[in-house]
Amino acid sequence: LKIALNGKVSSAIIPILIGDVTYVPFRIFCLETIPGAVISWNAETKTAYCDSQSLDIEVPFGKSYIIANGRVLFRYDNNIAINETLYVPVRSLATAVGAIVEWNKDQKLVNLVLTGKPITPAAQYYNQNDLLWLARIINAESQSEPLIGKIAVGDVVLNRVAHPDFPDTVYDVIFDDRYSIQFYPVTSPVIYNSPSEESIIAAKACLEGFSVSKNILYFMNPRIAVSNWIARNRSFVMAIGNHSFYA
């Protein structure tokens, strides 16, 4: 397996293949592709950083996402360490640096066409109102749930925004009460609590287009639900943590 930059095979970036995912060493990749990159490591948080004039990347060890210019790029594949070297899925880093990924099966070659245009910063990309309210409802409904469960709650909201039977904005979906209150936290001040860092990460991942399911429109915690209307009337899709999700 080889990595090429603009068609020229790199002797510095040595990739590895795990399953069907190509990983590259984070430090070397950044130094080879990002002008002026400065690499650092926070041992306490187990997070690697790449700072440059046009692109900042944050890679938490063991997590399934990276943060590039404030944007969350989520995959199911974790950031891993091999022989004390941090490896990251190449497609996540390619998105961060603005590279086009080309795969040559016959040559077992991943060619990265470097455009010189890194990922647009979060402040310019996210609708800040959508981000705020999506993070708030995720936090209120699933603060103790795993990250993928938080993302699934965000999916329910965004799937409703896209569905003709529901309002067409994040805020209006959350506060929709045409047939009854849809999200119980809106009845108390908890909806206005500052969302946790992980709830914000989940909201950003959803707004980037990552989705656990494009079909889920409802969820409930069957152990504490005061009504079983959802279970009786909707199709069960999956369970994550304490929540069951329905289409």
Side-chain angles (χ1 to χ4, degrees):
L1 187 66
K2 300 180 288 293
I3 294 286
L5 304 178
N6 294 331
K8 182 178 180 180
V9 175
S10 172
S11 60
I13 305 173
I14 309 300
I16 59 172
L17 188 66
I18 300 179
D20 59 354
V21 179
T22 300
Y23 282 81
V24 292
F26 175 65
R27 178 178 180 276
I28 296 299
F29 180 91
C30 290
L31 293 176
E32 291 292 308
T33 61
I34 304 172
V38 177
I39 313 300
S40 60
W41 169 256
N42 186 318
E44 183 177 348
T45 62
K46 295 183 178 180
T47 302
Y49 298 89
C50 171
D51 298 311
S52 71
Q53 186 174 0
S54 60
L55 176 62
D56 296 325
I57 304 176
E58 178 180 338
V59 178
F61 168 71
K63 301 297 184 180
S64 48
Y65 62 88
I66 69 172
I67 301 176
N69 280 348
R71 290 173 58 181
V72 172
L73 306 179
F74 189 95
R75 295 178 57 93
Y76 284 112
D77 314 295
N78 290 346
N79 307 314
I80 60 175
I82 300 176
N83 296 327
E84 299 185 351
T85 296
L86 181 64
Y87 281 79
V88 180
V90 69
R91 288 188 178 272
S92 295
L93 291 175
T95 299
V97 302
I100 300 169
V101 180
E102 299 175 340
W103 167 242
N104 188 314
K105 182 179 179 180
D106 294 333
Q107 298 182 29
K108 293 185 178 179
L109 174 70
V110 178
N111 181 46
L112 301 180
V113 181
L114 302 176
T115 65
K117 298 178 181 179
I119 192 169
T120 302
Q124 300 173 29
Y125 181 80
Y126 299 123
N127 179 304
Q128 296 303 309
N129 193 59
D130 286 350
L131 176 59
L132 171 64
W133 284 105
L134 190 59
R136 279 179 169 176
I137 194 62
I138 289 172
N139 189 73
E141 290 281 14
S142 58
Q143 188 171 10
S144 62
E145 296 298 309
L147 177 57
I148 198 69
K150 289 181 172 69
I151 291 173
V153 168
D155 283 343
V156 168
V157 175
L158 294 186
N159 290 347
R160 288 190 177 196
V161 170
H163 197 282
D165 291 345
F166 297 93
D168 57 6
T169 70
V170 169
Y171 180 91
D172 289 339
V173 162
I174 293 170
F175 287 91
D176 183 17
D177 61 357
R178 289 174 300 168
Y179 304 110
S180 68
I181 296 296
Q182 299 295 301
F183 300 95
Y184 182 75
V186 304
T187 65
S188 72
V190 69
I191 189 62
Y192 299 101
N193 289 350
S194 297
S196 67
E197 179 181 0
E198 191 167 77
S199 294
I200 295 172
I201 287 171
K204 287 183 174 182
C206 290
L207 293 172
E208 289 288 344
F210 180 85
S211 177
V212 177
S213 170
K214 293 293 186 182
N215 298 319
I216 52 176
L217 295 169
Y218 301 86
F219 69 92
M220 60 182 287
N221 184 333
R223 294 188 301 170
I224 62 174
V226 297
S227 168
N228 64 352
W229 180 91
I230 294 175
R232 287 187 291 107
N233 292 275
R234 310 303 300 191
S235 299
F236 175 79
V237 175
M238 61 187 174
I240 302 177
N242 293 309
H243 285 146
S244 295
F245 294 86
Y246 297 79

